[in-house]
């Protein structure tokens, strides 16, 4: 098969699997997800797995060691799904493993267009009363979700759209783009009070300028260590949290009481190697 035709087939099967999953997973975070049967998602997920598997085995031309690595990752993912019952990891892994020879700009463009249109669509449905705008109260602050189940999820959708936008702008990133992202960050903060998402959108806006300097790029090459260090920091801080410790109590207040909340969960349930089922209780959004 010619290289060009192989490249087109690679992208065809990937996007044929990716687009329905992207739409359904997005809608599942919205109030429309309450009306969509889980059977649609299950069928789309199975179809996606089969299409990406076909791409991996018949189009990617991987080495034996790559297939072995993929197999081990798949086993670990299956175990995680068995004990958690959450298909999110399956979705992440299947598209990561199947992303070889996929056009990155096509992928970012597809994500940005579909996610943006769905955000606008869901928001529009709240304006005509088709679905509710759940609102939450933190102190004296009213947090809107605009058709998404939780304000933080709405803010996260916007953040990932900003990531795709910056990637696509590349070296063309300019003052207009910076101003646009600053405005988006302000909008997210003022409407959802999602402080973390607002902050990281700001970091994206200015970070895209800083990466033009070589010394910044050298630092970012070690970015892979941040999730590991973040996990160790959060676990140690939570495990040893004590309200009488001034430093840890300050951290707890900075993270909106999350250290004390998770510490209580650890005390109640403990830790198990394969995890365990824990019933979650939301804050209780108010229909608006």
């Amino acid at each position: 098969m010619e290289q060009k035709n192989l490249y087109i087939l690679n992208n065809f099967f990937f996007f044929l699997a990716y687009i329905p999953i992207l739409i359904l997973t997005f809608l599942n975070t919205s109030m429309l997800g309450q009306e969509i049967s889980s059977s649609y998602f299950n069928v789309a997920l199975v179809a996606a797995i089969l299409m990406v598997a076909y791409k991996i085995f018949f189009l990617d031309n991987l080495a034996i060691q790559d297939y072995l690595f993929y197999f081990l990752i798949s086993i670990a993912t299956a175990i995680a799904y068995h004990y958690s019952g959450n298909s999110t990891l399956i979705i992440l892994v299947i598209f990561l493993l199947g992303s070889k020879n996929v056009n990155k700009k096509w992928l970012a463009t597809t994500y940005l267009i579909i996610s943006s249109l769905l955000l606008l669509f869901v928001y529009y449905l709240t304006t005509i009363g088709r679905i509710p705008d759940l609102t939450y109260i933190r102190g004296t602050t009213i947090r809107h979700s605009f058709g998404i189940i939780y304000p933080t999820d709405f803010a996260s959708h916007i953040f990932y759209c900003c990531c795709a936008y910056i990637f696509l702008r590349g070296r063309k990133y300019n003052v207009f783009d910076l101003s646009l992202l600053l405005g988006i960050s302000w909008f997210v903060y003022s409407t959802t009070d999602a402080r973390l998402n607002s902050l990281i959108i700001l970091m994206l806006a200015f970070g895209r300028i800083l990466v033009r300097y070589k010394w910044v790029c050298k630092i970012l090459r070690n970015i892979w260590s941040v999730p590991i260090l973040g996990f160790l920091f959060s676990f140690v801080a939570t495990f040893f949290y004590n309200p009488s410790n001034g430093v840890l109590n300050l951290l707890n207040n900075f993270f909106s009481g999350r250290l004390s909340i998770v510490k209580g969960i650890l005390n109640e349930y403990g830790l198990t190697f394969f995890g365990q089922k824990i019933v979650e209780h939301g804050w209780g959004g108010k229909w608006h």
Side-chain angles (χ1 to χ4, degrees):
M1 186 181 298
E2 293 183 7
Q3 196 68 25
K4 182 179 180 181
N5 291 336
L6 183 62
Y7 181 76
I8 293 174
L9 275 177
N10 265 284
N11 283 272
F12 173 77
F13 278 100
F14 183 89
F15 284 104
L16 190 62
Y18 175 72
I19 291 175
I21 293 296
L22 174 60
I23 294 173
L24 288 172
T25 51
F26 183 101
L27 293 178
N28 278 340
T29 67
S30 74
M31 294 302 293
L32 287 174
Q34 313 300 312
E35 305 174 17
I36 301 175
S37 172
S38 60
S39 60
Y40 292 116
F41 178 79
N42 293 334
V43 170
L45 181 58
V46 172
I49 292 173
L50 292 176
M51 282 185 281
V52 175
Y54 176 84
K55 174 185 178 300
I56 291 172
F57 285 104
F58 297 101
L59 301 175
D60 283 348
N61 296 320
L62 300 175
I64 296 298
Q65 58 267 27
D66 293 325
Y67 285 117
L68 177 60
F69 175 73
Y70 281 25
F71 175 74
L72 295 176
I73 292 294
S74 299
I75 293 297
T77 303
I79 293 173
Y81 174 72
H82 172 74
Y83 282 97
S84 68
N86 192 323
S87 61
T88 302
L89 186 60
I90 294 178
I91 296 171
L92 292 174
V93 169
I94 189 67
F95 288 114
L96 281 173
L97 296 183
S99 62
K100 182 181 179 181
N101 297 322
V102 171
N103 189 300
K104 297 179 179 62
K105 287 192 174 181
W106 293 358
L107 180 58
T109 302
T110 300
Y111 179 85
L112 179 60
I113 292 175
I114 291 178
S115 295
S116 299
L117 289 177
L118 287 174
L119 269 176
L120 291 173
F121 176 64
V122 169
Y123 172 76
Y124 170 72
L125 291 182
T126 64
T127 64
I128 62 174
R130 173 63 178 78
I131 58 174
D133 168 22
L134 294 179
T135 57
Y136 300 76
I137 298 177
R138 178 159 61 191
T140 58
T141 303
I142 298 177
R143 311 178 66 194
H144 292 271
S145 62
F146 298 117
I148 306 298
I149 294 176
Y150 196 64
T152 305
D153 292 333
F154 177 82
S156 295
H157 283 305
I158 293 181
F159 166 70
Y160 289 120
C161 285
C162 290
C163 290
Y165 176 79
I166 286 183
F167 173 78
L168 292 170
R169 289 295 293 164
R171 295 182 181 276
K172 296 179 181 179
Y173 187 83
N174 55 32
V175 175
F176 170 79
D177 302 310
L178 174 64
S179 302
L180 176 63
L181 264 67
L182 293 179
I184 291 174
S185 177
W186 174 84
F187 169 76
V188 169
Y189 179 75
S190 62
T191 58
T192 69
D193 196 39
R195 292 166 292 183
L196 176 60
N197 284 283
S198 304
L199 176 61
I200 55 182
I201 291 174
L202 283 177
M203 293 173 65
L204 274 177
F206 290 105
R208 184 60 190 87
I209 298 174
L210 293 176
V211 294
R212 296 173 180 174
Y213 299 98
K214 291 184 178 180
W215 65 269
V216 175
C217 292
K218 289 181 179 179
I219 294 175
L220 291 178
R221 286 172 185 166
N222 297 314
I223 197 70
W224 59 268
S225 64
V226 172
I228 298 174
L229 295 174
F231 165 74
L232 292 174
F233 169 77
S234 60
F235 178 79
V236 171
T238 302
F239 188 83
F240 291 101
Y241 170 74
N242 189 316
S244 62
N245 186 301
V247 175
L248 291 178
N249 199 44
L250 183 65
L251 282 173
N252 182 57
N253 292 331
F254 179 77
F255 292 115
S256 303
R258 283 175 171 80
L259 296 185
S260 59
I261 294 172
V262 179
K263 177 66 173 181
I265 295 173
L266 285 175
N267 290 337
E268 183 176 355
Y269 294 98
L271 290 173
T272 61
F273 187 76
F274 287 108
Q276 57 187 302
K277 300 285 186 180
I278 297 178
V279 178
E280 296 181 335
H281 301 280
W283 288 101
K286 180 180 179 181
W287 287 30
H288 176 71

